[in-house]
Amino acid sequence: MNSFGRIFRVNVFGESHGESVGVNIDGIPAGIPLEQEDFLPDLERRKGGARGTTPRKEEDLPFLKSGVFNNRTTGAPVTILFENNNTRSADYAKLREFPRPGHADFVAAKKFGGFEDYRGGGHFSGRLTLNLVAAGVIAKKILGDNIQVNAVIKEVGGYADAEEGLEEAIKAKDSVGGIVECTVDGLPIGLGEPFFDSVESALAHAAFAIPAIKGIEFGAGFAAAKMKGLEHNDPIVDASGKTATNHAGGVVGGITNGNRLVFRVAVKPTSSTPKEQQTLNIASGQVETFSVKGRHDLCIALRVPVVLEAVTAMVLADFMLLEMRVPRVFAQ
Amino acid sequence: MNSFGRIFRVNVFGESHGESVGVNIDGIPAGIPLEQEDFLPDLERRKGGARGTTPRKEEDLPFLKSGVFNNRTTGAPVTILFENNNTRSADYAKLREFPRPGHADFVAAKKFGGFEDYRGGGHFSGRLTLNLVAAGVIAKKILGDNIQVNAVIKEVGGYADAEEGLEEAIKAKDSVGGIVECTVDGLPIGLGEPFFDSVESALAHAAFAIPAIKGIEFGAGFAAAKMKGLEHNDPIVDASGKTATNHAGGVVGGITNGNRLVFRVAVKPTSSTPKEQQTLNIASGQVETFSVKGRHDLCIALRVPVVLEAVTAMVLADFMLLEMRVPRVFAQ
Amino acid sequence: MNSFGRIFRVNVFGESHGESVGVNIDGIPAGIPLEQEDFLPDLERRKGGARGTTPRKEEDLPFLKSGVFNNRTTGAPVTILFENNNTRSADYAKLREFPRPGHADFVAAKKFGGFEDYRGGGHFSGRLTLNLVAAGVIAKKILGDNIQVNAVIKEVGGYADAEEGLEEAIKAKDSVGGIVECTVDGLPIGLGEPFFDSVESALAHAAFAIPAIKGIEFGAGFAAAKMKGLEHNDPIVDASGKTATNHAGGVVGGITNGNRLVFRVAVKPTSSTPKEQQTLNIASGQVETFSVKGRHDLCIALRVPVVLEAVTAMVLADFMLLEMRVPRVFAQ
Amino acid sequence: MNSFGRIFRVNVFGESHGESVGVNIDGIPAGIPLEQEDFLPDLERRKGGARGTTPRKEEDLPFLKSGVFNNRTTGAPVTILFENNNTRSADYAKLREFPRPGHADFVAAKKFGGFEDYRGGGHFSGRLTLNLVAAGVIAKKILGDNIQVNAVIKEVGGYADAEEGLEEAIKAKDSVGGIVECTVDGLPIGLGEPFFDSVESALAHAAFAIPAIKGIEFGAGFAAAKMKGLEHNDPIVDASGKTATNHAGGVVGGITNGNRLVFRVAVKPTSSTPKEQQTLNIASGQVETFSVKGRHDLCIALRVPVVLEAVTAMVLADFMLLEMRVPRVFAQ
C-alpha cells in the first residue's frame, strides 16, 4: 500500500514524469502552525545540485491544497502537491528495450502488465521521496523541539570521509553506495508496541520504503552478532533508565528505553551508473551493451539523510500520537 | 499491535508464565488439510534441549480451538493454544529489583505502570515465538511445495562454524550472538507493494518482531555500501528475469524479481548471560552485582532459523493471497 | 474480517458446535481490574432460558487465557475462551440437504466450498455473540461509570408490549421480529472521526455484525425523512451544547454533541421458525416441505439488548481510547 | 479516519471554501481506461441547479494528478483534484456566532479547538461528496457492466411523488427530508466477510459517511420487525440460490446470496432551512433568532442517489477485489 502509519497516516502518490507527486496526511492534530516556507529548508537539503547528485532541478515548491486554514492545521487531512515541471521524458523512451539493472523497470512491467508509467521510474522514482520529506516536516513539528532527529553520512564507497569516497567514484566514473546513521535524542521511555510494532519493526518498515536501502541495524547491529552477552548488555545505571553503554541503540524489547536511538542504513550504489552494462535487450532477446542516459546521482546516499530523518520522524510522531497521548488540539 | 498481515492476519497473545500462549489467524483459505501433527516438526525444531539452548522443556502441544473441521480449515479464524505447564515463576520473583539488562523488564514496567506480567518476560518472552512457528506452518501450506523457505545459522559468536562459536562461549561461560540467513526459492515475480509495503519493508517488520534481532540486510546488504554500481548491479540475462548475479537478494524496487530471495539477520547475544553483571537495583537505587537465574539459551540465534522461516512464510503468504490473485491488471 | 476496532481491537473466533468460541482483544489499557465474575451478569442476561428463547443451556463460563495477572489487565491482549459442552450436532446433520431459509447455510457453502463447519450455523451462529458480550464487559469498564449504555426492547412482533407480542407468536407457533433501542448517557462532545468514521458509521458497522439485524436509525431516523427542517433541527440552548430536542440522536456531523445518544435496530424474526417451510432440497433439486429442528429462540430480539450494549460499548471505548486520550495505564 | 476500504482504498480531503477538495485512491488495478470525461456524467447528476438544489455552481472538473498514463490506470494511486472557484465565504463569517443547528459547527469547534476551517462547513461540507462520486466512477468500472448499481428517490417530505413533496416544501418555505433506495443487480454469491465485515456492515459504514443520512435498512428492514418468520423467510427455489421473495434484500448471514441487493437510506431535511430558528448565540450566550444565509439545497435527498451509488460501488468493488479473486477455497 501507498500508506503508512496508524494515527499519523501518510499516503503518497505521483510519478517522476507525470503531472505531479504529492502526499496526503491524515491524523495531524489541529492548531500546528504550517505554511509553505516551513518545508523549504528540508526540501533544499534533499534537492540535487551538489557534486555527486543529479543536475535535474525542480523548484520543488510544496502547494498546500487542504487541511490548512489561517496558516494552521485544522485537524482535517493535509494534502501537499509538487508539480513536475522539468521533465525530459524523451530520455527514457529507449528504456523500454533495456530494463535497467537494479531498477524496478522489469518487475514493474511484469506486475502492472505494461500499464505502469515507466518514464523516469514512474511511481518507483526517488522523486517520491519529496513526499516523505514533506511529511517529515510536519512530523518533526509534532515531535517538538525536545526531540531531535539527526541523520548524517557515515561512509561513501567504503570511505569514512565522504569527500574522499566521492572523489574516488568520480575518478572511476562509477556510482557508489554509502552508509547513513540516524540518531534521535529526547525520546520518552515506552514508545513501541508489542508484539509486531516494535520500534525497530516500524522504523525498518519505513526505512525500506526509501529506494536503494538494502540493510538496517540498530545500536551495535551486525557487530552484536560477534559479541558476548556481558560485552553487549547495557547496564542500567540510574532510575531514569540511563545505561552505561548503548549497544541496544536505545531500544530494548522493541521499546524505547530513554537512551539515544541509534540506527544505520546501507545504501546501494546508484543503479544508474555512467558505466556501460551488459544486460538483456527485451526487444532483441539478447544480452547487449547498454548505458543509462538521463540525469542521476552518482551517490544516492548523499541525498538519503534528510529522507531518513523524515521517515524516522513519521514513525516517532505516529508512536507519540498513539501512545503518549499528544492532544488532538495542539496549539502553540 | 499484536497483529500482523493484511489478508493472512496473525494475532498473538499469551505470557511466558501465564495460563497459555496462543495465536489467532484470520484470512486462511478454506480446505487446507490441518491437524495437530502438522505442527510438530517445526515446533520440535524450535524446542530447547540441544547444547546452548534452554533446558526448559514444554510439551508445546498445539491445541486447535477453532477454524478446523474434519481436519481441514473452514475459512473461519484458526486459534491455536499452547498451555504453559512447566513454569518456575519463583525464579523470577527477584527480578523486580534488578531489571535485567538487555531485557524489556525496565521499559515494560514504565510502559504498563507495573501491571505487566513480569514473570519470565511475560508477554515479551521468547516463548511467544511458538505462536509464530505455528502460524508459519499454516503459511508454508499456503505457499505450497514449489516455494521453499529455508533458514540456517551462518555464524555463532563470530565463527562460521557454529559448533566452534558455541564451544568458545561455553568455555567463556558467556552467551553469544549469531547470524541467520534465510533464502526462498520459487517465488513469482511481482510480490511486494509500492510504496510502503516493499518486500524488504514487510520482511524487516516481521523479523524485528522476533526477540533479539538487531539488524537485517538483503542480498549484498551492508557490503553493497562499499560497492560500485557496475559491480553491484545484477544484469538481467533472460526474459524470465534471471540475473547473472544476485546482489539485490531477489528484490528490486521492493518487488520480487524471480531470483532467489536472500536476507540475513543479526541476533544479539542472549541477554541472560550466566556472567555476573553490574546494574541498577531499583529497590536500593544502587548499581550492584547481579546474576540472572532461570533457564536460558546460551545462543538464542540457534533457535532463530525456524522462527525466521515462519515469519518469512507469513509475509509471503500474505503477499501471495493479496497480490497474485487480485487482478492487478484489468485491461478491457 | 473477524476483527473490529482501531485501538480497542476485538478478534472473534469459534463455531457453534466446535471446540469453543472465544475472543481476543488487543489495546486494553493496563491496570483494569478483571476477573471471571465480572462477565457473569451480562452473560447471564444474554443466556437462553426465558420464554421465547432457546432451551439450549451452556454454562457459558469465560476462561481468561491471557492478558490478566493478579486480577488486573496487563496491557497485553486478553483472550477469553468459552468451551462448547452442550452440543447436539446430530440435529443439524439433515440441514445439508435443506439450506435453511434466512440462514447462512447456502451462502456459506458457496463461499467456503463446502469446507465450512455447518453444524448449528458454525461460525455464523448467534453463539458467537458470547464473544461480543465478553468484549463489551471490558469496554464498559473503559467507559467508566459516568457513561451509561442501556439497551431495551421497544417492540416485539409489532407490539410495544413485548409480552403481548410474544404471546401472539406462541399462539401463532411462529417466530417474530422486534425493535431494540440503545441509549448512551454521559458521552463527551467530540467522539467520531470525519470523514468515514462517523459515530453512526462505526455503530452501524458493529451493529450489523449482530446476526438478524436488518436496519438501524439514529434519533428521529426514518421519521426524519418525513419531517421539515425547522421541525427536525435541534436548537442549541446553552454553551454546553444542550439541545431543546434530540432528533439528531446525539450525533451531528457524525460527531457526538453531548446530548443523549439514541439509536434503534430492527431485528428480523428468527429464521428457524417452528413452522413448516417450502424450500429447496439441494439433494433432490426440488422445492419440498421442510421444518427446522434444533433448539431456537422464538424471538431473537429478546436476546439482542445486552449484545447491542456490548458492541456499542466496544465502539465508544475505541473512540474514547483513540480520541479522548484515556491513558495506557488505567489504575483504579 | 478519512480513508475507507481494504483493497480499493479511498482517501478524501479538502474543504468547502478552501483551495480544493480531492480524493486519493489506492488499490486500483492497472489498465482501466480512465480520463476526465468518464467522470462528467455522474458529476453532472450530483451537481446543483435543479429545483430544490443549491444555486451554487462549480465547474466541478476533476483533474487527474497521478496514477493515469496514456489514459489508463497504472496501478499506482489515482489522485483527483477539484478546485474551489466559486466560493462566497463572506456568507459564513457570521456563523461563528450562531453554530447552525443540525450542522457540525458546534461539535467541530469543540473537537478541533476552533482551528477547523468553518467556512461553509469546511471539511464537513457536502461538497466533499464530489470525492465520493469520483471514486464511485472508478469503482463502477471495476464492477463492470454486468453489475448494475442504481439509486432512486423513493420519497420526499413523506410523498412518494418527489415533485409533490418538493412543491409542498417550496410552499412551506422549509426544507424537507427524503428516502433513497439503492439496488444492485448482477452480484455474485459470496461477497461479505464474517464476522464484522458483513455486506450490511460495510455498506452502512460507507452510507453514514454521506452527510444527512440518519437511517439505513436492508430488504424488508424495519418492516421485518413486525413480521413473522414464515412471512419473512425467503424460500430458496433453485440451485442458483434464487429466492421466491426477497425480504432479506439479497444479503443473508451478512453475505450476498445472488439475489438483488436492496437497501434504503433516510435523509434528514437540509439543516440550512430558509426558516428562522431560535438557537444559541455563542457570543451573547443567549438563545436568539437566527436564519441561515448562503446557498443551500431545499431537499438534500435529491442529490443523494448518485452519491449513494458511488459509496455502494466503492464497497462492492472492494469486496470484489478482496474476495472473489483470492482463492478462498484451497483444496489440495
Side-chain angles (χ1 to χ4, degrees):
Chain A
M1 298 220 299
N2 291 279
S3 8
F4 187 77
R6 215 169 147 199
I7 303 295
F8 184 81
R9 184 111 189 128
V10 176
N11 304 285
V12 300
F13 57 86
E15 290 83 20
S16 182
H17 291 61
E19 280 234 2
S20 57
V21 300
V23 58
N24 164 261
I25 309 167
D26 202 357
I28 305 173
I32 302 180
L34 194 69
E35 48 188 321
Q36 198 182 49
E37 295 204 347
D38 296 336
F39 295 90
L40 303 186
D42 273 2
L43 290 172
E44 191 62 36
R45 288 174 64 199
R46 179 196 164 280
K47 206 179 274 189
R51 265 193 348 150
T53 58
T54 170
R56 171 178 177 182
K57 289 233 185 71
E58 294 277 355
E59 290 252 351
D60 291 351
L61 277 181
F63 292 100
L64 294 164
K65 305 300 285 184
S66 73
V68 176
F69 177 48
N70 291 337
N71 293 332
R72 291 204 182 237
T73 58
T74 62
V78 169
T79 305
I80 302 168
L81 212 68
F82 298 91
E83 306 286 347
N84 290 331
N85 304 312
N86 183 11
T87 59
R88 286 166 45 191
S89 306
D91 287 354
Y92 296 91
K94 210 187 159 194
L95 296 182
R96 297 245 88 184
E97 288 176 26
F98 286 98
R100 296 167 298 171
H103 281 283
D105 300 349
F106 182 81
V107 294
K110 289 283 180 191
K111 188 177 181 86
F112 298 110
F115 292 106
E116 78 281 2
D117 182 345
Y118 55 81
R119 300 168 299 166
H123 186 59
F124 289 85
S125 164
R127 184 152 174 77
L128 272 87
T129 58
L130 270 175
N131 299 331
L132 302 181
V133 173
V137 166
I138 300 174
K140 286 175 180 175
K141 289 198 172 214
I142 292 171
L143 294 180
D145 290 339
N146 293 330
I147 298 179
Q148 288 292 331
V149 182
N150 188 36
V152 295
I153 299 279
K154 292 300 278 189
E155 240 188 76
V156 165
Y159 293 83
D161 178 338
E163 269 310 308
E164 203 174 340
L166 194 57
E167 205 60 61
E168 219 268 338
I170 291 171
K171 236 183 298 172
K173 290 187 179 145
D174 203 348
S175 59
V176 280
I179 289 179
V180 178
E181 182 175 273
C182 187
T183 58
V184 189
D185 291 308
L187 287 177
I189 300 172
L191 299 183
E193 286 281 286
F195 186 84
F196 287 107
D197 293 340
S198 72
V199 168
E200 291 117 326
S201 285
L203 285 171
H205 190 141
F208 278 116
I210 305 174
I213 304 279
K214 296 299 283 186
I216 190 167
E217 59 177 9
F218 291 82
F222 275 86
K226 300 187 194 303
M227 292 164 81
K228 295 239 162 42
L230 190 64
E231 181 188 2
H232 183 269
N233 276 356
D234 302 312
I236 301 173
V237 296
D238 68 26
S240 77
K242 197 177 167 337
T243 56
T245 51
N246 188 15
H247 296 114
V251 191
V252 172
I255 313 240
T256 54
N257 69 0
N259 292 274
R260 170 179 277 193
L261 178 71
V262 186
F263 66 99
R264 278 168 304 283
V265 296
V267 187
K268 71 174 183 180
T270 315
S271 299
S272 295
T273 168
K275 288 269 191 212
E276 288 193 338
Q277 309 181 55
Q278 296 293 315
T279 194
L280 183 73
N281 180 329
I282 288 277
S284 73
Q286 302 297 314
V287 171
E288 300 179 6
T289 300
F290 156 80
S291 73
V292 181
K293 296 288 179 289
R295 300 152 296 177
H296 302 283
D297 295 304
L298 214 50
C299 177
I300 195 77
L302 297 177
R303 292 174 78 178
V304 164
V306 68
V307 182
L308 191 61
E309 282 182 14
V311 299
T312 301
M314 278 165 50
V315 167
L316 296 173
D318 194 49
F319 276 132
M320 290 290 283
L321 291 171
L322 176 63
E323 301 183 28
M324 291 278 123
R325 318 296 151 191
V326 170
R328 171 170 306 282
V329 180
F330 192 91
Q332 295 178 326
Chain B
M1 300 221 299
N2 291 280
S3 7
F4 186 77
R6 214 170 148 198
I7 304 296
F8 185 81
R9 185 113 189 126
V10 176
N11 304 286
V12 301
F13 58 86
E15 290 82 21
S16 182
H17 290 61
E19 279 234 3
S20 58
V21 300
V23 59
N24 165 262
I25 308 168
D26 203 356
I28 304 172
I32 302 179
L34 194 68
E35 48 189 321
Q36 199 182 50
E37 296 205 347
D38 296 334
F39 295 90
L40 303 186
D42 272 2
L43 290 172
E44 191 62 37
R45 286 174 65 199
R46 179 196 163 281
K47 208 180 272 188
R51 261 190 355 149
T53 57
T54 170
R56 172 181 176 178
K57 288 233 185 72
E58 294 277 356
E59 289 253 352
D60 291 351
L61 276 182
F63 292 99
L64 294 163
K65 304 301 283 184
S66 72
V68 177
F69 177 48
N70 292 337
N71 292 332
R72 291 206 181 235
T73 58
T74 63
V78 169
T79 305
I80 303 167
L81 212 67
F82 298 91
E83 305 286 346
N84 290 330
N85 304 311
N86 184 11
T87 58
R88 288 165 46 190
S89 305
D91 286 353
Y92 295 91
K94 209 188 161 193
L95 297 182
R96 297 246 86 183
E97 287 177 24
F98 286 98
R100 296 167 299 170
H103 282 282
D105 300 349
F106 183 81
V107 294
K110 290 283 180 190
K111 187 176 182 86
F112 298 110
F115 292 107
E116 79 281 1
D117 183 346
Y118 55 80
R119 299 167 300 167
H123 187 59
F124 289 84
S125 165
R127 183 153 174 77
L128 272 87
T129 59
L130 268 176
N131 298 331
L132 303 180
V133 172
V137 166
I138 300 175
K140 286 174 181 177
K141 290 198 171 214
I142 291 171
L143 294 180
D145 290 340
N146 293 330
I147 298 178
Q148 287 293 332
V149 182
N150 188 34
V152 295
I153 298 279
K154 294 298 278 189
E155 238 187 77
V156 165
Y159 293 83
D161 178 339
E163 270 310 307
E164 204 175 339
L166 195 59
E167 205 59 60
E168 219 267 339
I170 291 171
K171 236 183 297 171
K173 290 187 179 143
D174 203 347
S175 59
V176 280
I179 289 178
V180 178
E181 182 175 271
C182 187
T183 58
V184 188
D185 291 309
L187 286 177
I189 301 173
L191 299 183
E193 285 282 285
F195 188 83
F196 287 108
D197 293 340
S198 72
V199 168
E200 291 117 326
S201 285
L203 284 171
H205 191 140
F208 279 117
I210 306 173
I213 305 279
K214 296 299 282 185
I216 190 168
E217 59 178 7
F218 292 82
F222 275 87
K226 299 188 195 305
M227 291 164 82
K228 296 241 163 39
L230 189 64
E231 180 187 3
H232 183 270
N233 276 357
D234 301 314
I236 301 173
V237 295
D238 68 26
S240 78
K242 195 175 166 341
T243 55
T245 50
N246 188 15
H247 296 113
V251 191
V252 173
I255 313 242
T256 54
N257 68 0
N259 292 274
R260 171 179 277 192
L261 178 71
V262 186
F263 67 98
R264 279 168 303 283
V265 297
V267 187
K268 70 175 185 180
T270 315
S271 299
S272 296
T273 168
K275 289 267 189 209
E276 289 194 338
Q277 309 179 56
Q278 296 292 314
T279 193
L280 183 73
N281 179 328
I282 288 277
S284 73
Q286 302 298 315
V287 171
E288 299 179 5
T289 299
F290 155 80
S291 73
V292 181
K293 294 289 179 288
R295 300 151 297 176
H296 302 284
D297 295 303
L298 213 50
C299 177
I300 195 78
L302 297 177
R303 293 173 78 178
V304 164
V306 69
V307 183
L308 191 60
E309 282 181 15
V311 299
T312 300
M314 277 165 51
V315 166
L316 295 173
D318 194 48
F319 276 132
M320 289 290 284
L321 290 173
L322 175 64
E323 302 184 26
M324 299 314 292
R325 327 287 180 143
V326 168
R328 185 162 301 283
V329 181
F330 192 90
Q332 295 177 326
Chain C
M1 298 219 299
N2 291 279
S3 8
F4 186 77
R6 214 169 147 200
I7 303 296
F8 184 80
R9 184 112 189 127
V10 176
N11 305 284
V12 300
F13 58 86
E15 290 82 21
S16 182
H17 292 61
E19 279 233 3
S20 57
V21 300
V23 58
N24 164 262
I25 308 167
D26 203 357
I28 304 173
I32 301 179
L34 193 69
E35 50 189 319
Q36 199 183 48
E37 295 205 347
D38 296 336
F39 296 90
L40 304 187
D42 272 2
L43 290 172
E44 191 62 36
R45 287 174 65 199
R46 178 196 164 281
K47 206 179 273 188
R51 268 196 343 155
T53 57
T54 170
R56 172 178 176 181
K57 288 233 185 69
E58 294 276 356
E59 290 251 351
D60 292 350
L61 276 182
F63 292 99
L64 294 163
K65 304 301 284 186
S66 72
V68 177
F69 177 47
N70 291 337
N71 292 333
R72 290 203 182 237
T73 59
T74 63
V78 168
T79 304
I80 303 167
L81 212 66
F82 298 91
E83 305 287 347
N84 290 332
N85 304 312
N86 183 12
T87 59
R88 287 165 47 190
S89 305
D91 286 352
Y92 295 91
K94 209 185 161 196
L95 297 182
R96 297 246 87 185
E97 288 176 26
F98 286 98
R100 296 168 298 170
H103 282 282
D105 300 348
F106 183 80
V107 295
K110 289 284 180 189
K111 187 177 182 86
F112 298 110
F115 293 107
E116 79 280 3
D117 183 346
Y118 55 82
R119 299 168 299 167
H123 187 59
F124 290 84
S125 164
R127 184 154 173 77
L128 272 87
T129 58
L130 269 176
N131 299 330
L132 302 180
V133 173
V137 165
I138 300 174
K140 286 174 180 177
K141 289 197 172 215
I142 292 172
L143 294 180
D145 290 340
N146 293 330
I147 298 178
Q148 286 293 330
V149 182
N150 187 36
V152 295
I153 299 277
K154 292 299 279 190
E155 239 188 76
V156 166
Y159 293 82
D161 178 338
E163 269 310 308
E164 202 174 341
L166 194 57
E167 205 60 60
E168 218 269 338
I170 291 170
K171 239 183 298 174
K173 290 188 180 143
D174 203 347
S175 59
V176 281
I179 290 178
V180 177
E181 182 174 272
C182 187
T183 58
V184 188
D185 290 309
L187 287 177
I189 299 173
L191 298 183
E193 286 282 285
F195 187 84
F196 288 107
D197 293 341
S198 71
V199 168
E200 290 116 327
S201 285
L203 285 172
H205 190 141
F208 279 117
I210 304 174
I213 304 278
K214 296 299 282 186
I216 189 168
E217 58 177 9
F218 291 83
F222 276 86
K226 300 187 194 302
M227 291 164 82
K228 295 238 161 44
L230 189 64
E231 180 188 1
H232 183 269
N233 276 356
D234 301 313
I236 302 174
V237 296
D238 68 25
S240 78
K242 196 177 167 338
T243 55
T245 51
N246 189 16
H247 296 112
V251 191
V252 173
I255 314 244
T256 54
N257 68 1
N259 292 274
R260 170 179 277 193
L261 178 71
V262 185
F263 66 99
R264 279 169 302 283
V265 296
V267 187
K268 71 175 184 182
T270 315
S271 299
S272 295
T273 167
K275 289 267 188 210
E276 288 194 339
Q277 309 180 55
Q278 295 293 315
T279 193
L280 183 73
N281 180 329
I282 287 277
S284 72
Q286 302 297 315
V287 171
E288 299 179 5
T289 299
F290 156 80
S291 72
V292 182
K293 296 287 180 291
R295 301 151 297 175
H296 302 283
D297 294 304
L298 213 51
C299 177
I300 196 77
L302 297 177
R303 292 173 77 177
V304 164
V306 69
V307 182
L308 190 61
E309 283 181 15
V311 299
T312 300
M314 278 165 51
V315 166
L316 295 173
D318 194 48
F319 276 132
M320 290 291 283
L321 291 171
L322 175 63
E323 302 182 27
M324 291 278 121
R325 320 296 151 191
V326 170
R328 173 168 306 282
V329 180
F330 191 91
Q332 298 178 324
Chain D
M1 299 219 300
N2 291 279
S3 8
F4 186 76
R6 213 169 148 199
I7 304 296
F8 185 80
R9 184 114 188 125
V10 176
N11 304 285
V12 300
F13 58 86
E15 291 82 20
S16 182
H17 291 62
E19 281 234 1
S20 57
V21 300
V23 59
N24 164 264
I25 309 168
D26 203 357
I28 304 172
I32 301 179
L34 195 68
E35 48 189 320
Q36 200 182 46
E37 296 205 348
D38 296 335
F39 296 90
L40 303 187
D42 272 2
L43 290 172
E44 192 62 36
R45 286 173 66 199
R46 179 197 163 280
K47 207 180 272 186
R51 265 192 349 152
T53 57
T54 169
R56 172 179 176 179
K57 288 234 184 71
E58 295 276 356
E59 289 252 353
D60 291 351
L61 277 182
F63 292 100
L64 294 164
K65 305 301 283 183
S66 73
V68 177
F69 178 48
N70 291 337
N71 292 332
R72 289 206 182 235
T73 58
T74 63
V78 169
T79 305
I80 302 167
L81 212 67
F82 298 90
E83 305 285 346
N84 291 331
N85 304 312
N86 183 11
T87 58
R88 288 165 48 189
S89 305
D91 287 352
Y92 296 91
K94 209 186 161 194
L95 296 181
R96 298 245 86 181
E97 288 176 24
F98 286 97
R100 296 169 299 171
H103 282 282
D105 300 349
F106 182 81
V107 293
K110 290 284 180 189
K111 187 176 182 87
F112 297 111
F115 293 107
E116 78 282 2
D117 183 345
Y118 55 81
R119 299 168 299 166
H123 187 60
F124 290 84
S125 165
R127 184 154 173 75
L128 273 87
T129 58
L130 270 176
N131 299 331
L132 303 181
V133 172
V137 166
I138 300 174
K140 286 174 181 177
K141 289 197 173 215
I142 291 171
L143 294 180
D145 290 340
N146 294 330
I147 298 178
Q148 287 293 331
V149 182
N150 187 37
V152 295
I153 298 279
K154 292 299 276 188
E155 238 188 78
V156 166
Y159 293 83
D161 178 338
E163 269 311 306
E164 203 175 340
L166 194 58
E167 205 60 59
E168 218 268 340
I170 291 170
K171 235 182 300 171
K173 291 189 178 142
D174 203 347
S175 59
V176 280
I179 289 178
V180 178
E181 182 175 272
C182 187
T183 58
V184 189
D185 290 310
L187 287 176
I189 300 173
L191 299 182
E193 286 282 284
F195 189 84
F196 288 108
D197 293 341
S198 72
V199 168
E200 291 116 327
S201 285
L203 284 171
H205 191 141
F208 280 117
I210 305 174
I213 305 279
K214 296 298 283 184
I216 190 168
E217 58 177 8
F218 292 81
F222 276 87
K226 300 188 194 304
M227 291 164 82
K228 295 240 161 42
L230 189 64
E231 179 187 3
H232 182 270
N233 276 357
D234 302 313
I236 301 174
V237 294
D238 67 25
S240 78
K242 196 173 164 345
T243 55
T245 50
N246 189 15
H247 296 112
V251 192
V252 172
I255 314 245
T256 55
N257 68 0
N259 292 275
R260 170 178 276 191
L261 179 70
V262 185
F263 66 98
R264 280 168 303 282
V265 297
V267 187
K268 71 176 184 180
T270 316
S271 298
S272 296
T273 168
K275 289 268 189 209
E276 288 194 338
Q277 308 180 57
Q278 296 293 314
T279 193
L280 183 74
N281 180 328
I282 287 278
S284 72
Q286 302 298 314
V287 172
E288 299 178 6
T289 299
F290 155 81
S291 72
V292 181
K293 296 288 179 289
R295 299 153 297 176
H296 302 284
D297 295 303
L298 213 51
C299 177
I300 195 77
L302 296 178
R303 293 174 77 178
V304 164
V306 70
V307 183
L308 190 61
E309 282 181 15
V311 300
T312 301
M314 279 166 50
V315 166
L316 295 174
D318 194 48
F319 276 132
M320 289 291 283
L321 292 172
L322 174 64
E323 301 183 27
M324 298 314 292
R325 327 290 180 142
V326 167
R328 185 162 301 283
V329 180
F330 192 92
Q332 296 178 327

